[in-house]
Amino acid sequence: HCLLRIFYNNFCLLICSFISMSWTWTVIAVTAPTRDSAIAFQAELLIRQKKGIINRETSIITVDDPRPRIGSGSATFNALFIVSELLSSKAGFKITSTDVFQTARVLILHAGRLYPFTSCGRAFSTLPLKNR
């Protein structure tokens, strides 16, 4: 159990450092199991963007899963579709184009299911950190 907790904490730290790397993401998309959780995730990401953890140039979107069953692939497809619409619009295309992915850095995170003891699920749980 302790080893699993250490692995989980290290994984969360890896994700946090991955998001805030020195180069800029074009889009960060987070999939959520419900519309309400997508709204909460959006608020959390915007707070991190205002604090400078996420670059201000990065577009942030949260997408609720159109199908209730985890593992269907619909959340990933939905996120990719919405990201392509956003990037196509910004690039001046009148229709959605996959060409926009040639130069874009897109991060899609799947938040997974919600748990009763965390307000925004595991993706935004507070973890203790030691100062280095």
Side-chain angles (χ1 to χ4, degrees):
H1 181 270
C2 185
L3 186 60
L4 182 61
R5 180 51 119 184
I6 291 169
F7 172 77
Y8 177 72
N9 287 346
N10 288 338
F11 178 74
C12 290
L13 291 174
L14 176 68
I15 293 298
C16 289
S17 62
F18 193 61
I19 289 175
S20 60
M21 287 177 134
S22 59
W23 43 271
T24 304
W25 293 104
T26 309
V27 179
I28 296 176
V30 178
T31 65
T34 66
R35 186 72 202 135
D36 288 342
S37 59
I39 292 167
F41 294 167
Q42 182 81 17
E44 287 290 331
L45 289 167
L46 290 174
I47 289 169
R48 283 158 175 75
Q49 193 171 41
K50 286 178 185 171
K51 289 182 176 182
I53 297 169
I54 299 172
N55 190 298
R56 294 192 187 277
E57 301 299 315
T58 300
S59 296
I60 296 172
I61 62 168
T62 54
V63 187
D64 56 312
D65 194 343
R67 297 199 52 193
R69 191 174 64 80
I70 291 176
S72 67
S74 61
T76 304
F77 181 78
N78 197 28
L80 283 170
F81 182 71
I82 290 173
V83 167
S84 68
E85 284 183 324
L86 173 72
L87 293 175
S88 295
S89 173
K90 283 186 170 187
F93 289 101
K94 296 194 186 304
I95 60 170
T96 302
S97 172
T98 57
D99 293 341
V100 294
F101 287 106
Q102 296 295 323
T103 57
R105 291 186 182 266
V106 178
L107 175 64
I108 297 178
L109 297 172
H110 297 284
R113 65 178 59 105
L114 298 175
Y115 294 93
F117 302 109
T118 58
S119 58
C120 283
R122 291 180 297 181
F124 298 101
S125 295
T126 303
L127 298 174
L129 279 174
K130 290 183 181 178
N131 290 335
R132 295 181 187 181

